[in-house]
Amino acid sequence: MPLVYRTLVAVPDDDGDLVAIASTVLSRWLSKRGNSGARVDFGSSGRYDLSKRSRALVARHDNADEGLTFLRLTTESDKPDGVWRTLVTVVVDPELSPWRYLWLDMTVDPAPGISPESTRLEVMPPEAARMLLEAVNAHDGAHALPPAPRIVRGRDDTDVAALHSAILDPLRRLAIVATGAPGDVTVAAWRDSMAGALSRCTGMCAGYVLDAAALDRMAAFLPRDLEIPAGGVRTFLPSVDPRDETDSARHPRMGPSTLDTARDGERVRNWVGAALSRRVRDNAMALGLPETLRAIDTFLREETDDLRRDPTSLAPAPTNGPEHAIAHRSEQDSATTAELAAAKAQEQQLQRLREEVRRLNARIGELSEERQQLLDESADLTEELNTAREDTRSARYEARWLRERAREEGLFRLAAAPAPNDPERRPPTSVSELLERITDDVVLPHLFFTLEDQTVYELADSRKEALWVTRAWEALLALNDYARYQFDNPGSGLGFHSYLRDPPDGYRVIPVKRLASQESDYVRNRGKLNEKRFFRVPHEVDPAGRVPMYAHIKLDIEYGICPRLYFFPDLGPETTNRVYVGYLGRHLPVQQSN
C-alpha cells in the first residue's frame, strides 16, 4: 500500500472540540461526492456505500473514563490504476496534552499487473486536507501550519521573529517554503501566485511571502548561504543548522533568474509548483508517525480491517464479466460451442485491451517524467546562460574602461593594441581527449587521478558526450583552482561549497548547484551502496589505500547515464595538499536492488 500523501499536525487543547470539528468538516467533504456522503455517521463505527465504486469506513473508539477519543475515516475508491484510500485520523488523549493530533494519509493499491515503479502517479493533496487546515489551529512543532502562504511584513517584529523561530524549530517535521516578492509584483499578488504553485504541497509545508523589509531583516538572522531570494524561493527542510556551512546544500534554492523564465508578471507556470513540491513531498513521505501514535494507528487499522471484512455490511456486488457468463452457462448446460468460443474471444480481446492501456499509461508516465526533467534542465541552462551573459557584459565593460583609462594616461598605443590570443586551450570534446588532457601535470598540477578509464569510456558514443566532457573539464579546472586557493591562502578553512558560492577573484568556479557535498543517509547507511563510494588514494593519504568519497559534481540531471564526478580534498596543514579524483562515469546506484 504505497503512501502518496501525508500530513500530520498538532492542535492545541484549547482549540474547541477537535472530534466534532473534524466530523463536521469531513461530512461536508463527503457531501460533495453525492447524497450518500451526507449519511455517514461519525458518532460510531460503521461501513457505508458512497457509490458503486467507493465506500467509507468509520472506526471510532471512546473511553469516557480516561477521556480518550480515536476517530478514523477511511474512504476507498476503485479506479483503473488501483484502489485509492484516504485515511483521516483524529486522536484526543489527555496523556498527549497540551496537544491533540490530526493526520491524513493517502495510499494507492496498484491494480493487478501494474507496478508502482512503472506508473508515475499524479497526486494532488485531498481537498479534505485544505478544509481541515482551514478549520483547526494546526501546528507543526511549536509553530503554525497555515493552509495557504502567509505574508510577512518587515515592520511587524512578531511575524519576522515567528518565521525565524519556525525555520530553526528543532521539532519541525515539515518543510518551510519562503519567497521574496519580485520588485515588479505586489506582495499580495505574489502571495496569490505562490498559493497556486504550492497547491500541490497543501499540508506538507508552510509557505511564507516576504516583502523587501522582511527580506532585509531575515538576512541579518540567517547566513548568506541560507538567504531567501527576492523573486526566488528557498525551501527549508527540517533541522536547519546555520552554523554548518555545508548544511545549506540540503535546502533547495530556486534563483530569481530561473523563476523569471517561468513567469509572466505575477503569473507562474505549472512546472514551478511541480519542481517546488518534489523535495517537500519527499520529506513528507519519509515521515514516520511519532512513537506515541503508532500503537493507536495499529489499533485503528485493525478496527477498519474488521469493518472491511464484515459480510453483513454490504451485499456482494453482482458479477457480470465474461468469465461469470461462461461459468453460469456451463452450470445450466445450455451453452453452445459457438457461444463459448465467442465469450472466450471477447475475454481475450478485453485482456489485450487492458494490457495495451497499462502499456500506454506506463509510457505516458515515462514521457511526463522525461518532460519534467527536460524542463528542469532547460531552467538550469537558462540560469547559467544568463550568468554567462552578465559575466561577458561585465568583462567587456571593464575592458572598455581600462582602455579609456589608458588613453587618459597618454598610453595611446597600449589603449589601441589588440589583446593577445588566450593561451588556454579550448575544452576537450571527447572522452579520449579528456583522458589525454588529465595526464598533463602542467594543466592540473593540484589534482591526482585514481579513476579507472573503463568507467569514463562508458560516457563515449553518446549524443551528450561533448556536453559531459566539457562539464567534467570545467569541474576539474574549478577543483584545481580551489586547491590552488587553499595553497595560496593557508588556514582559510573555506569549504568547496562556500568557494563556489562566493568565488575569489582570479579563480575558476562552476555553478554551485552542480555540487553535492554529501550523499544521503540512505546511501551511507546501506553497506553495498556505501561500498561503491570508496575509491583508491595513495597510502600517504590513508593507510588502507581507499577512502569514502561522498562529495561529487553532477554533470547532468537527465534520467539515464546522468554522469557524476567524485572527489576527495586532502588540503591543509600536514596533508598532501591535493584533490583526489576517484570516479568519473555513470550515476552510481542509489537503490538496494541495484
Side-chain angles (χ1 to χ4, degrees), residues 561-579:
I561 294 179
C562 207
R564 297 292 188 260
L565 186 152
Y566 282 74
F567 63 93
F568 177 78
D570 186 41
L571 304 170
E574 300 181 2
T575 67
T576 58
N577 272 319
R578 277 181 167 178
V579 176

Side-chain angles (χ1 to χ4, degrees), residues 52 315-321 324:
K52 290 183 179 180
T319 305
N320 298 316
H324 173 74

Side-chain angles (χ1 to χ4, degrees), residues 136-149:
V136 302
N137 185 14
H139 283 67
D140 175 26
H143 295 85
L145 183 71

Side-chain angles (χ1 to χ4, degrees), residues 242-448:
R243 298 167 299 180
D244 182 2
E245 67 176 19
T246 64
D247 184 56
S248 59
R250 212 170 45 85
H251 308 286
R253 178 184 184 274
M254 182 180 288
S257 56
T258 298
L259 202 49
D260 277 345
T261 64
R263 72 181 182 95
D264 179 11
E266 64 193 49
R267 295 179 59 255
V268 296
R269 295 179 184 169
N270 291 334
W271 69 259
V272 174
L276 292 175
S277 68
R278 195 170 301 126
R279 291 294 295 276
V280 170
R281 184 183 297 277
D282 290 346
N283 175 70
M285 293 301 95
L287 290 178
L289 290 175
E291 187 68 33
T292 53
L293 300 179
R294 291 178 191 169
I296 299 172
D297 178 62
T298 301
F299 168 74
L300 291 174
R301 284 185 184 278
E302 292 172 353
E303 292 284 301
T304 303
D305 288 342
D306 289 342
L307 289 169
R308 191 180 291 109
R309 289 192 294 264
D310 185 359
T312 63
S313 297
L314 288 173
T319 305
N320 298 316
E323 291 181 356
H324 173 74
I326 294 172
H328 179 68
R329 291 167 187 157
S330 298
E331 291 172 3
Q332 298 298 323
D333 196 26
S334 62
T336 64
T337 303
E339 289 173 333
L340 290 172
K344 184 175 181 180
Q346 181 186 18
E347 175 60 21
Q348 291 174 344
Q349 178 66 9
L350 286 173
Q351 183 61 32
R352 284 195 294 270
L353 290 174
R354 291 190 191 104
E355 291 174 355
E356 180 66 9
V357 168
R358 285 197 293 269
R359 185 188 69 79
L360 292 175
N361 284 338
R363 181 57 179 159
I364 288 171
E366 293 171 358
L367 291 174
S368 297
E369 185 173 357
E370 183 177 355
R371 175 181 177 275
Q372 186 58 53
Q373 289 164 346
L374 290 173
L375 287 173
D376 292 345
E377 184 176 15
S378 175
D380 289 343
L381 291 173
T382 300
E383 186 171 0
E384 291 181 25
L385 176 61
N386 291 339
T387 301
R389 284 174 173 169
E390 180 61 24
D391 291 343
T392 301
R393 189 197 64 79
S394 298
R396 286 174 176 170
Y397 173 79
E398 184 177 359
R400 289 196 302 270
W401 182 83
L402 289 172
R403 288 184 182 277
E404 186 62 29
R405 298 290 81 76
R407 280 192 291 270
E408 292 176 359
E409 295 295 328
L411 304 174
F412 301 106
R413 184 173 298 176
L414 176 62
N421 293 330
D422 186 353
E424 187 172 299
R425 298 164 62 188
R426 60 167 180 78
T429 57
S430 66
V431 168
S432 57
E433 186 181 0
L434 174 66
L435 290 173
E436 181 181 351
R437 290 272 193 101
I438 65 178
T439 59
D440 186 350
D441 293 338
V442 176
V443 181
L444 303 169
H446 299 285
L447 303 187
F448 190 95

